């Protein structure tokens, strides 16, 4: 019975270690670099919300 308990504890530790390792490595090197070529503009959008223009 003790052998089964030890095996379960070892399995849980291995699973937890693998999960934490995967979460820490996830996404590294896969995100594109941030670049801002031009400032954002609203073009021809209204500067006042539609609800305020109704009153």
């Amino acid at each position: 019975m003790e052998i089964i308990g030890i095996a379960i504890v070892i399995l849980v530790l291995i699973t937890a270690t693998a999960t934490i390792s995967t979460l820490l490595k996830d996404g590294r090197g896969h995100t594109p670099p941030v670049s801002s070529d031009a400032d954002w503009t609203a073009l021809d959008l209204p500067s006042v919300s539609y609800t305020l223009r109704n009153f």
Side-chain angles (χ1 to χ4, degrees):
M1 192 68 177
E2 292 87 13
I3 295 174
I4 295 174
I6 293 171
I8 290 174
V9 169
I10 291 173
L11 184 64
V12 168
L13 288 175
I14 291 172
T15 305
T17 305
T19 302
I20 291 171
S21 175
T22 302
L23 288 175
L24 290 176
K25 292 179 183 177
D26 186 35
R28 292 186 183 170
H30 298 290
T31 55
V34 177
S35 65
S36 58
D37 299 327
D39 292 337
W40 183 84
T41 60
L43 300 175
D44 59 347
L45 295 176
S47 59
V48 179
S49 67
Y50 290 106
T51 56
L52 290 176
R53 282 201 266 158
N54 290 337
F55 295 111

